[in-house]
Amino acid sequence: DATLLRVRDAIGPELRLPALGEGALQGSRFPLRHVILVDAQGRLRANSQGPLAEPIDVSDRTFFRAHLDAPGQDRLVISPPVEGRGSGQTLIAVSRPIIGPDGGTLGIIAIRLTPAEIAGYFRSIDIPGGLLGLIGPDGVIYARVPEVPGIVGRTVPPTARVHLARSPAEGFRAPSAIDGVDRFGAARPVPGLPFIVFVGLDAEKVLAHVEQERRTLILAGAVLSCMLLLAAIVLVRQDE
């Protein structure tokens, strides 16, 4: 959102989007190849490469309709994953309105991210053998690591939503409805946004260490028992 605000601040009343190499588009943790500028009529007029020769109509897109339905409200909107008309890629639009001096909406500035770009950020978080997921409103999956083809845009089953609604301190253990892996999991809401971040750990791998310790203790107990038995035999023979 900080990058989005910087880009918006660099846009003047003529709605000129800064070039990709300009300072407003630098310093973001995500690639900014998909910054777009949409006018008040819902026409995509420019992207981070420059003005479009032919504007693209995006007036039916969720992010545009959300701002259109809330005129004058400066709020962050994150759209569900959809296929981009110009790129053909699955994209998630993170957008804010451009509000004029009179309070009217001049246009919308948006950064469109691919699920792979979000997953790339998740992979930088070191959770060996773990799972990370971003779940949006209505249980829609926005990103998941490890990635599963076709998973983005699907809805989490109702049974999984029950687990995700539990407090982070409580956690849960359940087999995944997606890949069937039995996991320990915890979910936490993203502050200020209707999203949940989910973390899961393979129960078999987590318990493998516990099982190894259990076997070690059993073996140690058996050895100790044998030693005590031998000591008792020796003492009996000495008494004889």
Side-chain angles (χ1 to χ4, degrees), residues 14-233:
E14 70 281 4
L15 296 185
R16 188 192 70 84
L17 186 64
L20 188 60
E22 293 185 24
L25 298 186
Q26 295 177 351
S28 171
R29 67 180 58 179
F30 295 112
L32 298 179
R33 295 184 297 272
H34 304 300
V35 178
I36 61 171
L37 178 65
V38 179
D39 65 21
Q41 287 71 48
R43 295 172 298 188
L44 197 165
R45 290 177 41 180
N47 59 26
S48 49
Q49 306 301 326
L52 300 186
E54 291 290 337
I56 299 174
D57 184 11
V58 295
S59 59
D60 62 331
R61 292 302 200 191
T62 303
F63 74 93
F64 179 79
R65 303 304 304 180
H67 292 296
L68 189 67
D69 293 341
Q73 294 186 24
D74 186 8
R75 60 179 183 139
L76 181 72
V77 171
I78 303 177
S79 76
V82 295
E83 182 177 307
R85 290 201 173 101
S87 64
Q89 291 181 293
T90 298
L91 298 169
I92 298 164
V94 183
S95 61
R96 275 191 179 273
I98 303 169
I99 300 176
D102 61 351
T105 301
L106 300 178
I108 294 167
I109 183 70
I111 297 175
R112 298 192 297 183
L113 302 172
T114 67
E117 288 166 347
I118 300 176
Y121 172 66
F122 277 2
R123 280 192 292 271
S124 68
I125 303 172
D126 187 19
I127 304 180
L131 179 151
L132 273 171
L134 181 64
I135 313 297
D138 300 322
V140 175
I141 299 172
Y142 278 64
R144 182 187 189 273
V145 173
E147 297 169 82
V148 174
I151 193 64
V152 172
R154 284 176 54 181
T155 302
V156 173
T159 52
R161 293 191 209 179
V162 173
H163 296 309
L164 293 173
R166 295 182 178 178
S167 69
E170 182 179 357
F172 59 90
R173 178 183 177 180
S176 169
I178 294 171
D179 57 19
V181 176
D182 184 22
R183 290 188 177 91
F184 292 109
R188 183 180 296 274
V190 178
L193 294 173
F195 287 84
I196 292 174
V197 173
F198 165 73
V199 178
L201 296 174
D202 190 319
E204 182 178 353
K205 293 179 180 178
V206 171
L207 295 176
H209 178 66
V210 176
E211 178 63 19
Q212 182 60 41
E213 286 191 348
R214 186 183 72 86
R215 292 177 181 177
T216 300
L217 289 173
I218 292 173
L219 179 59
V223 171
L224 181 59
S225 297
C226 290
M227 291 177 64
L228 291 174
L229 179 60
L230 289 174
I233 293 173

